[in-house]
Amino acid sequence: MVYQGNPVSEGIAVGKIMLYEPFVPVVDTTALPKEEIPAALSRYKNARNSAKKELEALYSRLQQDDPGKAKIIKAHMDILFDVAMEEEIQDAISDGKSVEAAVDKIFRKYIRIIGKSADERIRERASDLEDVRCRLLRNCMGVKEKNLAVLTDPVVVVAKDLFPSDTASMNRNKVLAIVTEVGGPTSHTAIIARSYEIPALLGVPDILFQLQNGQEVIVDAVDGALITDPTDEEKEAYRGKKVQFQEQTAETKKYLASDGVTKDGVKIEVELNIGSANAQEVHDIQYTDGVGLFRSEFLYMGRDTLPSEEEQYKIYRKVLMQAGNNPVTLRTLDIGGDKKLDCLELPKEDNPFLGNRALRLCLQHRDIFKTQLRAALRAGTIGNLWIMFPMVGSMDDIRNAKAVVREVQQDLDRENIKYGKNVKFGIMIEIPSIAMIADLAVKEVDFASIGTNDLCQYTTAVDRLNQNVAKYYQSYHPAMFRLIRYTVEQFNKAGKPICVCGELGGDKLAMPVLLGFGMRRISMGIASVARAKKIISRLDLRFAKEMADKVCQMETAGEIEAYLKDSLKDVI
Ligand code: PEP
Ligand code: MG
């Protein structure tokens, strides 16, 4: 059987499926006959020991990759062996409760007590208890762990959708490919998959119900197909296609460390998009002209407490040091929309992408915003820090954000704490209302960066994650190109830096058009950097300008795409 999907991260994989669905424990409350009590007690201890082994394995892996997350796992081990809870669970079993019912009852009791605490930090521990409850119950029921962080065999992960925290904690060495029912090229799953170079096929409708765990598949994330139960001939053919793909990728990779200079000798700044600032991302900075987008919200994800000022300061410093004199564009916390945090409960909204998101949320949660700004400004004493505000829609937004910056600067002055005095302040252009007044916005800021992922969402009025309307999310819509052209012209006229850090920046068809508009700065995930530099080296800017002019006269996204494919066939 062949299913079609959207190949958002190119590559080919042959392997077995793991259906990824969160575990939901259903507890059996049947009373235990007296003679079964001793066996139940030892079953409880066995389950607790298996849970401990899982946590130990996770702990030792995270200790190297992510010490912050490792600490949380250590706390989970302490909960698992909490003496008071352990005693109460054993008493409940001895009173005739089933193992699962006893574990469930005692954990729920403590979750309730802790959840009512007046101290927010103690209240936050309830979600750790909940996590350990599920882990222990799953082990009591003999169900194997399904967690992308602790995969033991290489698998093709199939899910309805993946949360950013799933992908952030995923053991990437064991994920052959990702297949999901929802999501498109600008979803976070797509962005992470590309940066990890994991083939990903998204938007395959109802696929969870068609597949089984362990079933063999071929994921062709070049041409957008998922082939189930392949024959030996098909597997052979795809192994050949994979080798060919890998050879092409290796050829392109030769450009990774080169300078982004066009055929006619113009230097283009090719910058990097990063998330959690892990060792790999920090290493990759050397191949680029700086960090064009640091999605700082990844530092807040997959943890139960907000990152402290000191923790953030150290991370920002590390990135700034690695970048040297090149810019590090730190985007302030961008949550809401599709991005949620365990460490900050947000009210449910009917239209989260149009709701209290990013800067709007930071202006409301000033303490969180100020902590981040303090950490950033302090780190800004070294390197070349650019601070960027997301989801800006008006001049008021810019002025309100800058007012908070001034407050933080005054606090630091009062406390005699050193901070960067040459830090630049800029905005993301991702709402049409600010793009349309780029001539005014440019006067209030030092720089801007166009977030084409959201710009497309808000220009075409299409939820970027809603598969049912994916065909209306047209990144090549003429309105997109006209908005970008206008913005670039205004910033170039004012002599202030303008960049594109959305997915169009690294898109092989759109990027030459952006250069044609006069963009000289583009930022993208590491997976696109080598290809972008290769295209730049083969591109003449006069030709790019001609294309850009033509594109703005065209009527439909389809017409533009066909024209670019044809015009750029010798370049890409
Ligand atoms: C964008 O919207 O283009 C962008 C870069 O931000 P994000 O994808 O993180 O929303
Ligand atoms: Mg955005």
Side-chain angles (χ1 to χ4, degrees):
M1 187 82 186
V2 180
Y3 301 90
Q4 302 302 318
N6 202 344
V8 298
S9 174
E10 288 193 336
I12 288 167
V14 181
K16 295 203 168 137
I17 280 177
M18 187 195 96
L19 300 177
Y20 182 61
E21 289 165 285
F23 172 76
V24 184
V26 181
V27 175
D28 177 8
T29 51
T30 319
L32 212 57
K34 215 170 176 185
E35 63 277 13
E36 287 181 22
I37 291 174
L41 283 168
S42 75
R43 197 157 70 80
Y44 159 65
K45 285 182 189 153
N46 288 344
R48 198 192 48 187
N49 287 342
S50 326
K52 179 180 170 232
K53 279 196 191 129
E54 288 176 1
L55 288 170
E56 280 170 348
L58 184 55
Y59 179 74
S60 62
R61 193 174 70 72
L62 287 175
Q63 229 184 353
Q64 290 164 16
D65 296 356
D66 195 337
K69 283 199 196 116
K71 274 193 210 149
I72 298 176
I73 301 305
K74 177 83 185 55
H76 286 195
M77 288 196 230
D78 294 342
I79 294 170
L80 190 63
F81 282 90
D82 182 275
V83 180
M85 287 174 77
E86 203 176 329
E87 249 180 53
E88 289 186 46
I89 291 170
Q90 295 193 20
D91 286 351
I93 296 172
S94 302
D95 286 347
K97 279 211 177 308
S98 71
V99 178
E100 291 82 2
V103 167
D104 193 49
K105 179 179 170 213
I106 305 307
F107 267 82
R108 280 188 192 281
K109 178 181 138 187
Y110 280 91
I111 290 168
R112 246 189 340 266
I113 296 170
I114 283 181
K116 282 189 192 145
S117 166
D119 183 336
E120 195 183 335
R121 275 184 310 189
I122 295 180
R123 268 203 320 271
E124 281 166 357
R125 298 267 70 82
S127 61
D128 289 314
L129 281 171
E130 179 57 34
D131 205 332
V132 179
R133 180 186 81 93
C134 283
R135 182 178 294 278
L136 189 52
L137 283 174
R138 182 173 46 68
N139 275 286
C140 293
M141 293 169 193
V143 178
K144 270 187 103 179
E145 183 170 30
K146 271 193 214 154
N147 177 330
L148 298 181
V150 289
L151 299 171
T152 47
D153 299 316
V155 283
V156 172
V157 173
V158 180
K160 182 166 184 57
D161 193 9
L162 294 176
F163 286 117
S165 52
D166 289 326
T167 44
S169 64
M170 168 168 87
N171 181 352
R172 59 175 122 159
N173 300 320
K174 298 284 190 218
V175 178
L176 297 171
I178 295 171
V179 178
T180 65
E181 292 187 352
V182 299
T186 59
S187 67
H188 286 276
T189 303
I191 292 167
I192 297 274
R194 275 196 291 276
S195 78
Y196 287 176
E197 298 188 25
I198 296 174
L201 199 63
L202 307 191
V204 190
D206 300 326
I207 195 66
L208 267 183
F209 300 104
Q210 324 278 341
L211 305 177
Q212 283 165 8
N213 270 314
Q215 195 174 355
E216 203 173 17
V217 290
I218 294 171
V219 180
D220 176 358
V222 175
D223 289 325
L226 174 76
I227 300 155
T228 52
D229 307 314
T231 60
D232 288 345
E233 291 76 43
E234 280 172 322
K235 281 193 268 183
E236 202 42 43
Y238 273 94
R239 284 200 187 102
K241 191 168 173 181
K242 183 172 175 176
V243 170
Q244 200 187 351
F245 174 78
Q246 285 169 334
E247 281 169 3
Q248 263 176 16
T249 311
E251 168 60 24
T252 303
K253 276 199 173 148
K254 290 185 188 152
Y255 287 83
L256 186 61
S258 70
D259 223 10
V261 177
T262 63
K263 209 169 158 186
D264 45 341
V266 176
K267 164 83 174 130
I268 307 297
E269 306 291 325
V270 179
E271 299 182 342
L272 186 66
N273 290 356
I274 64 170
S276 57
N278 60 27
Q280 185 63 51
E281 288 184 337
V282 172
H283 167 89
D284 291 337
I285 295 174
Q286 65 184 298
Y287 302 121
T288 64
D289 298 303
V291 175
L293 173 63
F294 182 171
R295 287 183 164 99
S296 68
E297 57 277 7
F298 280 87
L299 304 179
Y300 295 66
M301 286 175 185
R303 50 183 293 156
D304 294 336
T305 51
L306 290 160
S308 67
E309 178 185 326
E310 209 51 33
E311 200 177 333
Q312 293 186 59
Y313 166 75
K314 285 190 186 137
I315 296 169
Y316 300 154
R317 226 179 120 84
K318 174 180 75 176
V319 176
L320 282 159
M321 276 165 66
Q322 176 74 6
N325 290 330
N326 284 332
V328 170
T329 315
L330 176 75
R331 175 173 77 184
T332 57
L333 184 59
D334 182 359
I335 45 160
D338 62 326
K339 290 183 234 153
K340 310 216 168 5
L341 297 183
D342 294 335
C343 55
L344 181 69
E345 204 175 321
L346 299 171
K348 208 169 155 21
E349 293 179 306
D350 285 340
N351 292 299
F353 274 122
L354 301 181
N356 205 3
R357 206 196 137 180
L359 178 64
R360 295 173 185 176
L361 218 121
C362 282
L363 289 171
Q364 190 185 10
H365 292 265
R366 296 240 167 175
D367 44 344
I368 299 176
F369 194 27
K370 281 183 157 186
T371 302
Q372 181 172 38
L373 289 171
R374 271 177 79 96
L377 284 172
R378 283 177 50 212
T381 52
I382 56 159
N384 185 1
L385 177 64
W386 299 17
I387 293 179
M388 175 163 77
F389 305 112
M391 189 82 182
V392 166
S394 66
M395 298 296 278
D396 298 323
D397 287 346
I398 305 176
R399 289 174 183 146
N400 289 335
K402 283 170 67 178
V404 181
V405 170
R406 272 195 300 277
E407 277 177 38
V408 173
Q409 287 168 330
Q410 281 160 8
D411 290 346
L412 291 169
D413 281 333
R414 211 174 311 115
E415 293 165 46
N416 248 324
I417 296 176
K418 284 205 191 97
Y419 61 89
K421 303 276 172 169
N422 297 319
V423 176
K424 288 192 193 327
F425 293 93
I427 53 169
M428 291 201 69
I429 306 266
E430 44 191 355
I431 304 182
S433 61
I434 201 74
M436 298 288 292
I437 57 166
D439 57 324
L440 306 175
V442 71
K443 295 183 192 151
E444 280 281 343
V445 298
D446 299 319
F447 72 95
S449 188
I450 306 180
T452 50
N453 309 339
D454 277 315
L455 186 63
C456 185
Q457 156 163 269
Y458 296 126
T459 303
T460 57
V462 182
D463 176 341
R464 69 196 244 192
L465 299 180
N466 185 342
Q467 203 51 37
N468 293 331
V469 286
K471 68 173 184 201
Y472 297 103
Y473 183 94
Q474 298 178 337
S475 305
Y476 300 145
H477 193 295
M480 282 288 288
F481 286 111
R482 289 184 187 202
L483 281 170
I484 296 171
R485 178 177 63 177
Y486 179 70
T487 308
V488 178
E489 280 171 0
Q490 298 312 312
F491 275 76
N492 280 350
K493 204 154 68 177
K496 292 193 180 172
I498 176 79
C499 180
V500 167
C501 62
E503 291 304 299
L504 275 197
D507 183 281
K508 60 186 178 196
L509 297 179
M511 186 260 282
V513 177
L514 306 181
L515 303 189
F517 289 150
M519 187 84 73
R520 296 292 175 262
R521 198 177 273 278
I522 48 178
S523 191
M524 62 203 67
I526 189 67
S528 308
V529 170
R531 189 181 65 186
K533 288 183 178 179
K534 179 172 157 186
I535 294 172
I536 290 168
S537 73
R538 295 171 172 196
L539 193 70
D540 188 309
L541 281 183
R542 275 168 310 218
F543 171 60
K545 186 170 181 321
E546 256 171 52
M547 273 192 314
D549 288 342
K550 284 215 180 99
V551 158
C552 286
Q553 299 311 315
M554 289 183 178
E555 293 177 4
T556 67
E559 199 185 332
I560 291 174
E561 186 172 351
Y563 164 73
L564 290 176
K565 272 190 181 148
D566 184 49
S567 310
L568 290 164
K569 61 180 178 301
D570 298 329
V571 176
I572 56 180

